[in-house]
Amino acid sequence: MKTKYCCDDLRREIEEGDPFNIPRKLIKYNRQLRYTAIVCNEEKNVDLPMNYCPFCGTKFPESLSETFYDVLKKEYGAKYLISTGKTIFDTVPAEKPLPREFRTDAWWKKRGL
Ligand SMILES: [Zn+2]
C-alpha cells in the first residue's frame, strides 16, 4: 500500500517526531496547503517550506500556498483574503468563516490539484 510519504524516515519524523531525541518536531506536513517544512517556531507557526525530502531526496509536490488564495478569491471573493502578516488560517473573522473544505486538504483534492 502506497503511503503519503516518500520514505519511512519522513513519515516517522512527521507522525512520531523526535528522531534525534530533540524534544520537538523538526518537520511538519501542512495538508491544507500541501507543503512539508522545517519547523522554526511552533508557537508562532513559523516554518520553512522544503522542496525536497531531507532523508531520501524525493522532490515534494508543488506547494499550494499561492493557489489556496487564488482559488478562494476566485470562488469566494476577496473578503476571504485576510492577512495579518503572521499566519492567516485562523484569522478569518468569525462572521465569515473559512469554507469547511478549505480547512483541510479537501479543497485541493476535490479540484484534482
Ligand atoms: Zn523521503
Side-chain angles (χ1 to χ4, degrees):
M1 185 177 129
K2 193 178 182 329
T3 69
K4 60 183 176 178
Y5 300 107
C6 50
C7 60
D8 202 48
D9 287 334
L10 185 65
R11 181 203 59 76
R12 200 167 33 240
E13 170 55 32
I14 290 175
E15 292 187 353
E16 300 170 19
D18 205 16
F20 310 110
N21 268 338
I22 298 169
R24 69 175 183 94
K25 252 183 200 291
L26 299 176
I27 299 174
K28 75 173 192 181
Y29 173 66
N30 182 320
R31 66 188 185 124
Q32 182 189 31
L33 301 178
R34 196 181 67 189
Y35 71 82
T36 305
I38 297 170
V39 178
C40 299
N41 187 320
E42 222 169 349
E43 291 80 38
K44 294 181 178 171
N45 203 18
V46 176
D47 53 39
L48 186 61
M50 296 185 289
N51 294 320
Y52 295 89
C53 175
F55 300 105
C56 73
T58 298
K59 189 169 184 4
F60 292 133
E62 196 182 335
S63 165
L64 296 174
S65 297
E66 301 284 327
T67 309
F68 180 86
Y69 298 104
D70 291 345
V71 172
L72 264 179
K73 188 176 181 183
K74 191 174 167 198
E75 297 184 14
Y76 292 89
K79 67 186 177 186
Y80 285 99
L81 298 182
I82 295 162
S83 172
T84 62
K86 291 187 258 174
T87 186
I88 8 144
F89 310 114
D90 302 322
T91 58
V92 175
E95 67 271 20
K96 291 172 185 167
L98 198 62
R100 180 175 293 276
E101 65 173 316
F102 284 90
R103 297 175 201 170
T104 66
D105 52 7
W107 72 275
W108 58 264
K109 286 185 172 172
K110 182 179 156 186
R111 288 164 180 80
L113 296 173

